[in-house]
Amino acid sequence: MAGEGPIVAGVHPVVEALRTRPDAAEALLYTRPPGRGPMRRIAALAKRARVPMRRVDRSTLDAMAGTPGHQGVVLRLKPGAAALPAVTDPLDLVASAQEAARDPLLLLLDRVQDPRNLGAIVRSAYYLGADGVVVPRDRAAAMSEAAVKASAGTAFHLPVVTVTNLGRSLDRLREAGLWLAAADPEGAEAADQVDLTGPLALVVGGEGSGIRPGIRQRCDLLVRIPMGGRPGSLNAAVAASILLWEVRRQRRAVDG
């Protein structure tokens, strides 16, 4: 509705929104009594933040969330509120990592168009130590309500930066000292046989089309995920998770 704020739907996203940005919450709407299960915790967080709560029927939540997959709870934010981390420049992610005395690790997505894939990637990136995710503005999924829900609330903690030109962003990251590695099923280097421990930007392509040639050509190396069975490519979220895990494995081995 006009004049109303953004919607956060689903148990985990609502919990994280209330934990990280209680000041942005305007109203909590639910279908089940808050006396038991996950709703008990959600109700406690809402009461602590003095967020009004109201029980409604499922059809009302379906309409608000735009999907029946809201798990019986929706948080409406205040108009103009931004519950997600506000970062607009990938170099800010690099600077934050350097200030924390660690090598930056960024994940760049080239035209990943499924919001559920984007959300799953953000979830893996958060738990596997990435400093942020970078996505192009055009022909790519944005951090919509569906993506936030698929992230299981991690989108409230990990910055997702939208850029107008992914290629230019790669150039700037190289100038900042990052090594650029692209996931490629035909890559010359196996991910577990190449050094991924330094400042790094990983690039993963979208569903079906993969990484565009102009983006691939900018990268310092093309890495493949060693696989058994018949040749093929992995889902973008799966590929991103495996590569992030390999980076984490190598870094932990170096750090002891």
Side-chain angles (χ1 to χ4, degrees):
M1 296 180 183
E4 292 191 347
I7 295 297
V8 178
V11 170
H12 291 298
V14 168
V15 167
E16 294 306 318
L18 287 170
R19 286 182 61 241
T20 59
R21 286 296 312 278
D23 57 306
E26 183 175 64
L28 178 72
L29 299 100
Y30 58 90
T31 59
R32 298 178 182 177
R36 60 182 182 178
M39 273 305 303
R40 183 174 184 177
R41 183 185 182 193
I42 290 173
L45 289 169
K47 288 178 181 177
R48 187 182 309 162
R50 298 183 179 179
V51 177
M53 296 185 291
R54 181 160 58 95
R55 188 174 182 181
V56 297
D57 58 39
R58 178 165 288 275
S59 62
T60 298
L61 290 194
D62 289 351
M64 291 183 66
T67 172
H70 45 67
Q71 298 177 298
V73 60
V74 162
L75 182 69
R76 187 171 66 222
L77 304 182
K78 296 173 183 176
L84 301 181
V87 179
T88 59
D89 190 337
L91 292 186
D92 290 341
L93 303 177
V94 175
S96 295
Q98 292 172 338
E99 289 171 5
R102 66 173 183 270
D103 286 327
L105 172 58
L106 273 61
L107 180 63
L108 289 85
L109 306 179
D110 187 22
R111 297 195 297 185
V112 170
Q113 297 180 337
D114 186 334
R116 292 166 298 182
N117 256 352
L118 174 59
I121 289 169
V122 169
R123 185 177 186 180
S124 293
Y126 173 72
Y127 286 118
L128 293 174
D131 294 293
V133 176
V134 180
V135 298
R137 185 179 306 279
D138 299 324
R139 298 183 181 180
M143 283 310 299
S144 62
E145 293 162 18
V148 171
K149 185 173 185 296
S151 80
T154 56
F156 294 102
H157 301 281
L158 186 74
V160 177
V161 182
T162 301
V163 297
T164 55
N165 189 314
L166 195 65
R168 176 55 185 152
S169 295
L170 284 170
D171 293 340
R172 295 176 68 218
L173 291 172
R174 175 185 283 109
E175 292 167 3
L178 274 68
W179 194 247
L180 311 181
D184 188 326
E186 305 299 326
E189 305 281 356
D192 60 347
Q193 298 297 316
V194 65
D195 185 359
L196 301 174
T197 59
L200 183 67
L202 281 174
V203 185
V204 174
E207 308 86 3
S209 59
I211 298 173
R212 288 171 290 169
I215 299 298
R216 184 185 291 107
Q217 291 166 6
R218 280 179 158 90
C219 294
D220 300 301
L221 71 160
L222 305 179
V223 296
R224 70 180 187 278
I225 297 171
M227 296 189 294
R230 299 171 61 184
S233 60
L234 296 170
N235 168 280
V238 174
S241 299
I242 292 173
L243 290 173
L244 288 168
W245 171 253
E246 178 59 25
V247 174
R248 181 174 177 82
R249 183 192 69 80
Q250 291 188 22
R251 289 185 171 186
R252 292 181 69 182
V254 170
D255 294 339

